[in-house]
């Protein structure tokens, strides 16, 4: 959350080169617009002044797809979500 969209996309592309085909990536996050804590977290990020932001599920789907991962499964916890994405074993479907 301390990175902007371009930085997150770049990080996930780099991570994608390190995860073997069929391997799994798990991201713990507070998704924008997903659950009651997300609005409060967005305000916290805005006032921190560090340039961070909350990111939505559609953002993560696009970034993970570009990095070679299947769409993530979303597992909601109390205040956060876990995104579980598997590295594709073949080219894009």
């Amino acid at each position: 959350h301390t990175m902007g969209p371009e930085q997150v996309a770049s990080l996930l592309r780099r991570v994608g080169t390190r995860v073997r085909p069929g391997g799994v990536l798990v991201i713990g996050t507070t998704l924008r617009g997903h659950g009651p804590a997300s609005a409060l977290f967005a305000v916290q990020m805005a006032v921190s002044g560090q340039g961070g932001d909350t990111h939505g599920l559609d953002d993560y789907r696009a970034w993970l797809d570009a990095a070679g991962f299947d769409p993530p499964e979303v597992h909601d916890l109390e205040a956060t979500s876990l995104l579980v994405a598997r590295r594709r074993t073949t080219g894009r479907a």
Side-chain angles (χ1 to χ4, degrees):
H1 296 285
T2 59
M3 296 185 265
E6 297 81 19
Q7 292 171 303
V8 176
S10 176
L11 173 64
L12 290 175
R13 285 192 305 271
R14 289 192 315 269
V15 168
T17 67
R18 299 295 198 177
V19 177
R20 72 175 194 264
V24 173
L25 173 66
V26 178
I27 300 170
T29 187
T30 301
L31 292 170
R32 179 187 308 129
H34 197 85
S38 67
L40 182 59
F41 187 72
V43 170
Q44 178 183 349
M45 293 308 301
V47 299
S48 74
Q50 299 298 316
D53 198 358
T54 59
H55 309 295
L57 183 56
D58 289 341
D59 298 322
Y60 281 103
R61 285 181 178 145
W63 297 328
L64 289 164
D65 179 61
F69 290 88
D70 290 332
E73 297 174 12
V74 179
H75 301 272
D76 291 321
L77 306 176
E78 285 188 33
T80 62
S81 298
L82 292 180
L83 305 181
V84 180
R86 186 168 303 279
R87 181 90 160 110
R88 285 191 291 268
T89 56
T90 60
R92 290 187 184 191

